[in-house]
């Protein structure tokens, strides 16, 4: 296995990603979509999720495919980013047809970034407009780090962000991950230099420094975030994808396996204050694939994507936490 041409989730055949952010707000939204509806499911392992229309992704529910998936900042307010994407899809005639009605299906998930220092004193919820702007921005190339849903993200020790990675499997299908990393836990080991995901790094995609040679890691919960605010402003939300043909039940199994990537890259993970959630989708562009291998690759991609999110984060006025690059200049 090796990364795709872009080392982004858009290496998966048919996928586009759009992001929009407001730097003063210190928040934003990101959408994943394709040129046709796709099969998708979801698995939640965090104790504090925030979601929209995820029930319809259960394997026993009648909806076979959805039109887009949304990741957003803004806590409950950010769920309205899905409405902006719905507006965009409806404008171009996309959606589930019920007689003369067109209903775009857009599940989404949010992270909490309301106390990160941005201007949150709005009169009108800004996330619907951010969702529409993200829809209009959708393309095969997109920025990582302080962008989209990762704009205001914070890990336990430093700024988080938006990350992505991909792998091409031996059978020719591609697996990719997209993540907005805002966890309770740390993504780097004590000392802020080495990434927990370092054993899974390919090339120098997040610095090439290798694993921390120290042992006994993870025995203490150090958190600059807790000192700056509290341990309630969290969540890692992600989308993993493949162009191999999968059923909705198989997508759910891939989403479940992909959570291993969060645990490999973030210590600790899946806490009561996290809303850790992974969507999995299939664009059905290629023949059926090996579900076990796809799930394994999804976990590898997600671990790498989380590290890339932190590695690519950029400083901005009013930041509460430093960036990895500032700490390792």
């Amino acid at each position: 296995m090796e990364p795709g041409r872009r080392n982004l989730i858009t290496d998966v055949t048919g996928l586009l990603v759009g992001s929009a952010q407001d730097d003063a707000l210190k928040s934003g939204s990101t959408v994943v979509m394709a040129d046709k509806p796709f099969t998708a499911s979801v698995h939640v392992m965090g104790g504090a999720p925030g979601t929209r229309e995820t029930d319809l992704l259960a394997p026993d529910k009648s909806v076979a495919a959805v039109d887009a998936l949304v990741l957003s900042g803004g806590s409950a307010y950010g769920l309205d980013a899905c409405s902006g994407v719905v507006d965009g899809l409806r404008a171009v005639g996309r959606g589930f047809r019920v007689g003369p009605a067109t209903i775009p299906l857009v599940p989404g998930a949010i992270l909490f970034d309301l106390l990160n220092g941005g201007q949150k004193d709005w009169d009108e919820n800004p996330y619907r407009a951010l969702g529409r702007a993200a829809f209009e921005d959708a393309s095969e190339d997109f920025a990582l780090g302080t962008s989209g849903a990762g704009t205001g993200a914070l890990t336990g020790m430093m700024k988080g962000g938006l990350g992505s990675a991909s792998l091409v499997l031996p059978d020719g299908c591609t697996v990719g991950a997209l993540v907005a990393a805002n966890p309770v836990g740390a993504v780097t080991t004590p000392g802020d230099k080495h990434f927990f995901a370092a054993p899974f790094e390919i090339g120098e995609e997040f610095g090439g420094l290798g694993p921390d040679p120290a042992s006994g890691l993870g025995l203490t919960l150090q958190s600059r975030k807790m000192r700056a605010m509290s341990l309630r402003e969290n969540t890692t939300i992600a989308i993993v994808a493949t162009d191999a043909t999968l059923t909705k039940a198989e997508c759910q199994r891939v989403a479940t396996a992909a959570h291993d990537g969060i645990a490999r890259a973030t210590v600790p993970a899946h806490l009561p204050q996290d809303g850790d959630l992974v969507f999995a989708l299939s664009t059905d562009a290629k023949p059926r694939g090996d579900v076990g291998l796809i799930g394994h690759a999804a976990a590898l991609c997600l671990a790498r994507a989380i590290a890339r999110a932190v590695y690519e984060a950029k400083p901005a006025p009013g930041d509460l936490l430093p960036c990895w690059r500032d700490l390792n200049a």
Side-chain angles (χ1 to χ4, degrees):
M1 294 187 287
E2 60 183 22
R5 183 169 65 86
R6 299 178 186 85
N7 198 18
L8 299 173
I9 194 172
T10 48
D11 288 323
V12 172
T13 306
L15 287 190
L16 303 174
V17 171
S19 285
Q21 60 276 337
D22 182 323
D23 292 335
L25 184 68
K26 283 189 178 292
S27 189
S29 303
T30 297
V31 60
V32 172
M33 53 186 292
D35 57 2
K36 63 182 181 66
F38 48 75
T39 306
S41 193
V42 66
H43 187 65
V44 180
M45 289 190 69
T51 61
R52 170 169 159 160
E53 290 198 298
T54 50
D55 283 354
L56 59 80
L57 299 179
D60 65 326
K61 300 303 183 287
S62 59
V63 168
V66 299
D67 297 288
L69 296 171
V70 170
L71 306 179
S72 184
S75 189
Y77 299 102
L79 292 174
D80 209 27
C82 298
S83 298
V85 175
V86 167
D87 291 342
L89 287 163
R90 186 176 186 274
V92 297
R94 287 279 306 275
F96 183 70
R97 299 300 178 95
V98 183
T102 300
I103 308 169
L105 299 178
V106 184
I110 49 83
L111 56 82
F112 191 109
D113 59 4
L114 296 180
L115 302 180
N116 65 359
Q119 297 175 10
K120 307 298 196 296
D121 56 345
W122 61 73
D123 292 322
E124 181 178 340
N125 188 338
Y127 287 95
R128 187 171 192 139
L130 285 168
R132 181 62 182 267
F135 171 83
E136 300 293 348
D137 180 67
S139 69
E140 292 181 334
D141 294 302
F142 58 95
L144 302 184
T146 308
S147 178
T151 299
L154 304 172
T155 74
M157 295 299 287
M158 59 192 69
K159 284 186 74 169
L162 190 73
S164 192
S166 70
L167 284 171
V168 179
L169 306 191
D171 64 2
C173 75
T174 299
V175 175
L178 177 75
V179 65
N182 184 61
V184 171
V187 176
T188 53
T189 64
D192 301 320
K193 182 177 181 181
H194 295 276
F195 288 93
F196 280 112
F200 310 103
E201 183 177 16
I202 298 174
E204 298 183 358
E205 60 189 348
F206 42 91
L209 298 178
D212 193 328
S215 59
L217 302 175
L219 299 181
T220 60
L221 176 57
Q222 299 177 337
S223 179
R224 293 189 182 100
K225 185 194 285 195
M226 182 170 61
R227 294 195 295 270
M229 46 184 106
S230 76
L231 276 182
R232 291 187 176 274
E233 292 70 52
N234 311 293
T235 293
T236 295
I237 47 178
I239 300 167
V240 297
T242 182
D243 44 22
T245 297
L246 299 179
T247 66
K248 201 195 302 190
E250 289 168 336
C251 283
Q252 187 179 64
R253 178 48 47 190
V254 169
T256 303
H259 272 280
D260 287 356
I262 296 178
R264 291 167 183 168
T266 309
V267 178
H270 304 138
L271 296 185
Q273 303 90 350
D274 282 309
D276 295 347
L277 172 151
V278 179
F279 294 106
L281 72 87
S282 164
T283 63
D284 296 340
K286 296 186 177 180
R288 291 189 55 78
D290 182 331
V291 178
L293 183 58
I294 291 169
H296 170 55
L300 292 175
C301 287
L302 184 48
R304 293 160 51 223
I306 291 170
R308 293 190 80 194
V310 173
Y311 178 73
E312 297 291 350
K314 304 295 192 299
D319 282 350
L320 298 182
L321 297 183
C323 294
W324 184 91
R325 291 175 187 256
D326 294 334
L327 294 168
N328 294 279

